[in-house]
């Protein structure tokens, strides 16, 4: 059997708003450093942005092919998780098989058009303390024959063609940090193509090689995309005397730290029923009083209009 892999890489940003939001992010958060500092007068801790880890939720990958009984999507997902872990070990992953894996990552919310409800997904991620959510899909596995070669020496050759999609949503705005389409092909012989057409077999070593190649290509890109925006957490509950934030020790928060609070921002409409949230304005500060593994409690420190849904960020 002759075997080869050819990478055909297509990158596409579907939403025009990502450029606008990128400028806003850079304007609001330029100049963050990576050290703890302490105010000697008040004893309050100021945590800098790079001290905190990002958290990515990994949704269950979909298999849109006719080979649903082969679990190819699980193979692809496992390779991609491993690639992300190798590329950026400081990022926290919420992945299938984890204890208390959230239901919304199993069945993603959809809008009226049947597409992923990006803002609804972002909101669920905020409540779970996630900074980004990754989705994946095997779009197609098809067999084909083509004449290839040099001018008068072309001959008929057989291939299996793989198409996959990777998307990463920012939970702060709902925009896509990553929107990738990959295609890979492997060359096979005539018998293998006939078996493929009968849906009898696709060689697992070949499938492994394809998905491993794609995962290696996209893993670092996902890390860079998720790490580009500054860290932020989210307020999930507010009472008269207490504030709950959906991030904790695992990301690096500590008692005594003071965080800036921002309003939820405005919602704007995009194409195909998609909606996006603009960055909000600063409305005050909170001081962390108790920090647990995945959440923390805080007191009102300064400002007003601090309510459920507000975001919290490190002080400049």
């Amino acid at each position: 059997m002759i075997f080869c892999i050819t990478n055909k890489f297509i990158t596409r940003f579907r939403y025009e708003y990502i450029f606008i939001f990128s400028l806003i992010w850079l304007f609001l958060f330029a100049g963050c450093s990576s050290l703890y500092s302490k105010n000697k007068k008040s004893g309050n801790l100021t945590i800098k942005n790079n001290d905190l880890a990002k958290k990515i939720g990994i949704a269950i990958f979909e298999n849109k092919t006719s080979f649903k009984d082969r679990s190819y999507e699980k193979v692809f997902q496992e390779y991609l998780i491993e690639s992300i872990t190798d590329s950026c070990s400081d990022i926290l992953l919420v992945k299938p098989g984890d204890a208390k894996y959230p239901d919304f990552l199993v069945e993603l919310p959809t809008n009226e058009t049947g597409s992923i409800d990006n803002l609804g997904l972002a909101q669920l991620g905020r409540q779970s303390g996630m900074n980004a959510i990754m989705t994946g899909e095997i779009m197609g596995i098809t067999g084909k024959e083509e004449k290839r070669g040099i001018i008068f020496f072309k001959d008929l050759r057989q291939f299996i063609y793989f198409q996959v999609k990777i998307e990463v949503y920012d939970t702060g705005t709902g925009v896509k940090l990553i929107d990738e389409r990959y295609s890979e092909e492997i060359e096979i012989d005539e018998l293998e193509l006939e078996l493929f057409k009968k849906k009898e077999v696709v060689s697992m070593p070949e499938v492994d090689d394809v998905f491993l190649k794609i995962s290696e290509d996209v893993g670092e890109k996902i890390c860079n995309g998720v790490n580009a925006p500054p860290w932020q957490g989210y307020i999930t509950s507010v009472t008269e005397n207490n504030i709950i934030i959906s991030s904790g020790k695992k990301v690096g928060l500590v008692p005594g730290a003071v965080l800036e609070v921002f309003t939820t921002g405005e919602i704007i409409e995009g194409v195909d029923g998609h909606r996006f949230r603009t960055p909000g304005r600063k409305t005050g500060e909170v001081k962390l009083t108790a920090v647990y593994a995945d959440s923390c409690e805080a007191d009102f420190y300064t400002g007003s209009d601090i309510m459920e849904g507000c975001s919290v960020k490190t002080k400049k």
Side-chain angles (χ1 to χ4, degrees):
M1 180 188 67
I2 302 173
F3 176 78
C4 68
I5 298 179
T6 304
N7 183 41
K8 300 176 183 176
F9 167 78
I10 304 173
T11 301
R12 184 176 66 182
F13 287 102
R14 185 176 298 171
Y15 310 116
E16 62 271 28
Y17 303 101
I18 194 168
F19 176 72
I20 298 172
F21 285 146
S22 297
L23 293 178
I24 294 172
W25 281 99
L26 290 172
F27 176 78
L28 288 176
F29 302 106
C32 287
S33 62
S34 61
L35 298 173
Y36 281 100
S37 64
K38 186 172 182 179
N39 185 316
K40 294 182 179 180
K41 293 182 179 180
S42 64
N44 299 325
L45 287 173
T46 299
I47 302 176
K48 298 304 180 182
N49 181 64
N50 291 345
D51 290 315
L52 301 179
K54 300 289 186 64
K55 182 185 287 188
I56 306 178
I58 311 294
I60 297 290
F61 280 20
E62 290 189 81
N63 184 348
K64 295 292 184 67
T65 75
S66 58
F67 295 90
K68 296 185 183 298
D69 60 330
R70 307 285 182 173
S71 298
Y72 293 143
E73 71 280 6
K74 293 182 180 179
V75 175
F76 181 34
Q77 188 169 59
E78 288 172 2
Y79 277 130
L80 191 50
I81 288 173
E82 183 178 348
S83 178
I84 295 171
T85 302
D86 291 342
S87 298
C88 45
S89 58
D90 56 329
I91 284 184
L92 303 176
L93 299 181
V94 179
K95 57 189 185 298
D98 288 350
K100 298 181 179 180
Y101 183 73
D103 291 338
F104 72 86
L105 293 181
V106 178
E107 187 172 353
L108 301 176
T110 57
N111 57 29
E112 294 179 354
T113 67
S115 302
I116 292 175
D117 178 1
N118 63 309
L119 195 61
L121 181 63
Q123 178 60 31
L124 292 168
R126 290 159 71 103
Q127 294 170 358
S128 297
M130 298 174 187
N131 299 102
I133 295 172
M134 182 180 75
T135 67
E137 178 182 313
I138 302 178
M139 302 168 65
I141 302 176
T142 55
K144 62 180 181 180
E145 289 185 309
E146 289 185 3
K147 281 192 173 182
R148 294 191 184 181
I150 302 173
I151 309 177
F152 301 111
F153 300 96
K154 290 185 178 181
D155 59 351
L156 192 63
R157 295 157 66 180
Q158 297 76 34
F159 302 88
I160 296 179
Y161 186 63
F162 294 78
Q163 292 177 295
V164 302
K165 176 173 67 175
I166 298 294
E167 297 175 332
V168 179
Y169 294 85
D170 172 51
T171 57
T173 60
V175 302
K176 290 182 183 179
L177 299 172
I178 300 289
D179 185 358
E180 304 282 1
R181 305 292 187 275
Y182 279 87
S183 62
E184 296 282 346
E185 63 182 21
I186 55 177
E187 186 170 356
I188 57 177
D189 58 32
E190 291 184 38
L191 177 59
E192 289 175 309
L193 182 59
E194 287 302 315
L195 291 174
F196 172 83
K197 289 179 178 179
K198 294 178 182 179
K199 299 180 182 178
E200 293 183 10
V201 65
V202 179
S203 171
M204 280 307 300
E206 295 171 348
V207 172
D208 283 348
D209 285 338
V210 168
F211 291 150
L212 178 60
K213 174 64 167 60
I214 295 173
S215 298
E216 289 174 345
D217 287 347
V218 76
E220 186 174 355
K221 186 166 294 187
I222 290 172
C223 291
N224 293 336
V226 171
N227 278 324
W231 177 91
Q232 63 179 341
Y234 304 98
I235 294 176
T236 57
S237 175
V238 177
T239 62
E240 184 177 352
N241 299 313
N242 195 36
I243 298 168
I244 303 297
I245 298 170
S246 59
S247 298
K249 288 181 182 178
K250 288 183 180 179
V251 304
L253 294 176
V254 293
V258 175
L259 300 176
E260 296 179 324
V261 180
F262 293 79
T263 60
T264 56
E266 298 181 0
I267 295 176
I268 58 177
E269 298 289 333
V271 297
D272 297 330
H274 294 290
R275 299 171 297 157
F276 307 89
R277 190 180 295 278
T278 63
R281 59 176 176 80
K282 181 177 177 179
T283 188
E285 296 179 352
V286 296
K287 183 176 181 179
L288 305 187
T289 56
V291 179
Y292 312 105
D294 292 304
S295 65
C296 59
E297 299 181 27
D299 283 341
F300 293 92
Y301 195 62
T302 64
S304 59
D305 297 329
I306 296 176
M307 60 188 68
E308 180 179 336
C310 286
S311 59
V312 294
K313 300 164 185 171
T314 58
K315 297 188 68 174
K316 296 180 182 179

